[in-house]
Amino acid sequence: MVGRLVQMILPPASREAVMGDLAESCRSPGQLAAEGLRSVPPLVAEQARRASRLPVIGLQLFILFACLGGFELDRAGKVVTNAACAALPMGLAMVGLLLRNIYRSEDNPVRQGFFDALTAALCVVAQQTMMHVLIAAGHVDPAWALSRSLIVLACLSFPILWTLGAMENPDAVRRKPAQPLFSDYNQFVQRTRVRNRAEMAALAMIIGVSGYFLARFQPPVAPLGWSFLTGYACILVYLALRGAARPAPLDADSATVRALYETELNRQSRQRRLMWWFWFVPLFAGLMTNLVMYGVSKEQPLRIVGGIAAIFLLGYLIERLHRDRRLAIHLKLNNLAAVPA
């Protein structure tokens, strides 16, 4: 019983090795529990360092803060800023995502991304539930709770976090295939098909939630929002028609399959890059409108500088994410030459 409890709190990446060492060195359940608990903090810290990628964490912060209304303009007379209201649920959601990184097991990336988004959503719901309890008890000002419009806006974080979490780790991309070329390519086709369906589902969610938000709350940027939704619909059609990798002909020789593999790897890489820029186009527009342009109109240099810095940082994170993946694909292409047919 003690061994199972210790095993549960150990990160999966080091669970087997640590439990083996503890089984050999510990003479009693009490010693096993003490040594196991002593091992957890450094192992968790090490796994957090290894599993967390700067571009992903940065984009998760941007997604949550924006979808929780952190960049929205504050209404006159509101005692709590939108940034402060967004910071609390964002912080709790990031803690949940960090724990997901630490205790993540090797699994389907699309499934992992879904549970990443679900974890963040549950953390936000828990924080808002607690906030409403405190408000009902009179301990907290009602302004700390998210408004109805921001609750709808927060729903947009789920599909974007899902697609972000569904990206394969660069280490998995660059890994040398351990099976014949044709079989490895078929698995690649299957993975892209599953990811493509997930992106289509995410786009459908965004179109539905955004359409409701624009129709129900009619924000000043509604015309721009409808144009974005039109673009999302076009992307959805493209993904349905050409998003997944092409299957290899059954009678193809190894040279044909290898050439097709290289072509599709490069095409999928370009497609992912364009998709990620497209995902964040509304956020770029929001940063420009709510920070830079508003700062210019109100003669607030700090807001202008902050907005420009945020735009450049967001662009850097997107490009860094693509660069890491592109490097992994380059190594993958080099490894394909050594894969048997």
Side-chain angles (χ1 to χ4, degrees):
M1 182 65 178
V2 174
R4 290 183 179 179
L5 292 176
V6 173
Q7 186 175 359
M8 287 177 59
I9 61 176
L10 289 171
S14 53
R15 188 172 291 163
E16 184 176 352
V18 173
M19 289 304 298
D21 293 340
L22 291 176
E24 293 179 359
S25 60
C26 297
R27 305 301 179 189
S28 66
Q31 185 183 6
L32 177 63
E35 292 295 330
L37 292 175
R38 190 178 297 114
S39 303
V40 169
L43 289 174
V44 166
E46 176 63 18
Q47 184 61 22
R49 184 189 66 81
R50 294 174 56 188
S52 300
R53 292 183 287 159
L54 176 62
V56 174
I57 293 175
L59 290 174
Q60 287 172 339
L61 285 169
F62 264 108
I63 292 166
L64 288 167
F65 194 69
C67 291
L68 290 168
F71 294 117
E72 295 294 311
L73 297 176
D74 296 316
R75 296 194 305 270
K78 188 176 180 180
V79 297
V80 182
T81 64
N82 287 326
C85 289
L88 292 178
M90 179 196 71
L92 186 59
M94 288 303 300
V95 170
L97 290 171
L98 178 61
L99 291 175
R100 281 279 304 158
N101 284 339
I102 294 171
Y103 290 94
R104 184 188 302 274
S105 58
E106 292 291 336
D107 200 355
N108 185 318
V110 172
R111 186 182 296 113
Q112 292 290 347
F114 179 84
F115 283 111
D116 285 350
L118 182 61
T119 298
L122 291 176
C123 289
V124 172
V125 170
Q127 190 274 339
Q128 285 296 295
T129 301
M130 181 58 66
M131 194 63 66
H132 280 284
V133 170
L134 294 175
I135 290 171
H139 300 307
V140 175
D141 192 283
W144 281 99
L146 296 176
S147 64
R148 290 183 179 180
S149 61
L150 290 182
I151 290 174
V152 176
L153 189 65
C155 294
L156 293 175
S157 65
F158 185 93
I160 306 177
L161 288 173
W162 180 15
T163 56
L164 180 61
M167 289 189 63
E168 287 184 294
N169 190 295
D171 292 335
V173 174
R174 69 169 64 98
R175 192 174 299 153
K176 185 176 180 179
Q179 54 189 334
L181 183 63
F182 195 88
S183 299
D184 191 71
Y185 181 73
N186 284 338
Q187 287 196 0
F188 166 74
V189 171
Q190 179 62 26
R191 289 195 303 271
T192 61
R193 185 179 294 120
V194 172
R195 187 196 60 221
N196 191 62
R197 290 172 180 170
E199 286 189 335
M200 291 171 60
L203 276 171
M205 290 182 198
I206 289 177
I207 292 172
V209 174
S210 299
Y212 173 79
F213 178 84
L214 295 174
R216 171 66 176 81
F217 300 103
Q218 299 181 354
V221 294
L224 183 62
W226 288 114
S227 66
F228 284 151
L229 289 191
T230 303
Y232 280 131
C234 293
I235 294 293
L236 181 59
V237 173
Y238 172 81
L239 290 178
L241 297 177
R242 297 199 57 194
R246 293 173 296 170
L250 296 178
D251 58 347
D253 56 20
S254 60
T256 301
V257 175
R258 184 172 285 109
L260 180 60
Y261 206 160
E262 293 177 359
T263 299
E264 285 298 328
L265 274 172
N266 286 315
R267 188 176 76 88
Q268 291 293 321
S269 177
R270 293 192 300 269
Q271 185 172 292
R272 296 280 72 69
R273 183 185 186 186
L274 291 175
M275 282 296 299
W276 274 111
W277 279 104
F278 194 79
W279 283 119
F280 287 99
V281 164
L283 181 50
F284 279 110
L287 292 173
M288 179 62 69
T289 302
N290 294 339
L291 295 182
V292 179
M293 295 177 64
Y294 185 80
V296 171
S297 66
K298 298 297 182 180
E299 297 183 352
Q300 298 176 351
L302 188 60
R303 181 182 285 268
I304 298 172
V305 173
I308 294 174
I311 289 172
F312 276 99
L313 177 60
L314 180 58
Y316 165 77
L317 292 172
I318 296 172
E319 278 301 306
R320 173 67 183 275
L321 188 70
H322 173 72
R323 189 191 71 181
D324 292 347
R325 180 174 174 80
R326 182 62 194 167
L327 178 60
I329 289 176
H330 178 72
L331 295 175
K332 175 80 170 184
L333 291 172
N334 291 337
N335 288 331
L336 287 179
V339 180

Short mmCIF file of all heavy atoms in Angstrom, two decimals, residues 41 54 72 96:
data_model
loop_
_atom_site.label_atom_id
_atom_site.label_comp_id
_atom_site.label_asym_id
_atom_site.label_seq_id
_atom_site.Cartn_x
_atom_site.Cartn_y
_atom_site.Cartn_z
N PRO A 41 10.51 15.99 -4.25
CA PRO A 41 10.76 17.39 -4.67
C PRO A 41 11.85 17.54 -5.74
O PRO A 41 11.61 18.21 -6.76
CB PRO A 41 11.14 18.09 -3.36
CG PRO A 41 10.47 17.28 -2.31
CD PRO A 41 10.55 15.87 -2.78
N LEU A 54 9.90 26.65 -23.18
CA LEU A 54 9.65 28.09 -23.07
C LEU A 54 8.59 28.59 -24.05
O LEU A 54 7.67 29.32 -23.64
CB LEU A 54 10.96 28.86 -23.26
CG LEU A 54 10.84 30.39 -23.27
CD1 LEU A 54 10.31 30.89 -21.94
CD2 LEU A 54 12.19 31.03 -23.59
N GLU A 72 -8.31 43.29 -22.20
CA GLU A 72 -9.48 44.11 -22.48
C GLU A 72 -9.39 45.46 -21.77
O GLU A 72 -8.79 45.57 -20.70
CB GLU A 72 -10.76 43.38 -22.02
CG GLU A 72 -11.05 42.10 -22.78
CD GLU A 72 -11.38 42.35 -24.23
OE1 GLU A 72 -12.23 43.22 -24.51
OE2 GLU A 72 -10.78 41.68 -25.09
N GLY A 96 -1.87 24.05 -12.94
CA GLY A 96 -2.42 22.79 -13.42
C GLY A 96 -1.69 22.27 -14.65
O GLY A 96 -1.40 21.08 -14.76
#
